[in-house]
Amino acid sequence: MSSHHVRQRYWARALIGFSAMREAQTSGAHRALAALESQGYIQQLVTQNVDRLHQRAGSRRVIDLHGRADMVKCMVCDYQMMRHAMHAEMARMNPSFAGLEAGHAPDGDADLETDFSTFRIFDCPRCRGILKPDVVFYGDVVPAERRLAAQVALAESEAVLAVGTSLMVFSGYRFCRTAHERGLPLASLSLGVTRADALLSYQWRAPLTPVLEEAVRCLQFS
């Protein structure tokens, strides 16, 4: 983020590509997890996703471990604002870019290559510092308050279920390792292998939505 050219390229592409993330819809798995929370079976949901789809589906007890893609934060003064407001300002400042079209790429990016040298970046309205998405990028450290909140929730848990994750990123794997060390039942529901396979008490390699929806149906009558 220290390179002005890199930031020009990032925000110009995000101006086009972020709409795909903003307009993403919840899945049956998201809704089933929210239902399990409302039934009292989930006390805390810790997610590495940054799309807020769990909240849109109705989950309330959520820790966004890697942050929120819909927020931006100043790297100097910690000022925060909604990302759509920043994008609106940059669209006003860069009308020629706002009208471009490109294929969507992961994480709100776009497959756009052009001359970005004229792109104007919207800086922090409080101190003119650099704004960045309020997410944990590769190489960043999870903020201590989120990590500690997840650890507190784990200490109060009776079991841990990892859903739809390979657990290859240490920020999530660490909680499974701690659960195993404490002797808690540890289960995984995913389509493939996980980093925690050797630690698991139970493992289901299956599509998420049908399994979770069946769990909701069975548990609501228990």
Side-chain angles (χ1 to χ4, degrees), residues 68-173:
R68 299 176 50 172
D70 64 342
M71 297 284 294
V72 293
K73 184 176 183 178
C74 179
M75 299 177 68
V76 177
C77 72
D78 289 336
Y79 175 84
Q80 290 181 300
M81 65 184 295
M82 296 302 296
R83 185 163 176 170
H84 68 80
M86 179 185 183
H87 279 221
E89 287 296 325
M90 288 193 296
R92 180 185 60 79
M93 295 162 60
N94 301 277
S96 62
F97 281 89
L100 295 178
E101 295 184 0
H104 294 298
D107 300 322
D109 194 9
D111 289 323
L112 175 68
E113 292 300 340
T114 187
D115 179 7
F116 300 106
S117 62
T118 62
F119 187 84
R120 298 171 61 198
I121 302 171
F122 181 76
D123 292 323
C124 175
R126 176 189 289 170
C127 74
R128 313 311 300 172
I130 294 174
L131 293 172
K132 67 178 287 289
D134 191 15
V135 300
V136 176
F137 286 106
Y138 183 79
D140 289 346
V141 177
V142 173
E145 66 272 14
R146 295 180 207 156
R147 176 173 49 81
L148 292 174
Q151 289 174 340
V152 169
L154 178 59
E156 298 173 349
S157 298
E158 297 178 354
V160 173
L161 172 63
V163 176
T165 174
S166 66
L167 296 168
M168 293 303 174
V169 178
F170 182 74
S171 59
Y173 171 73

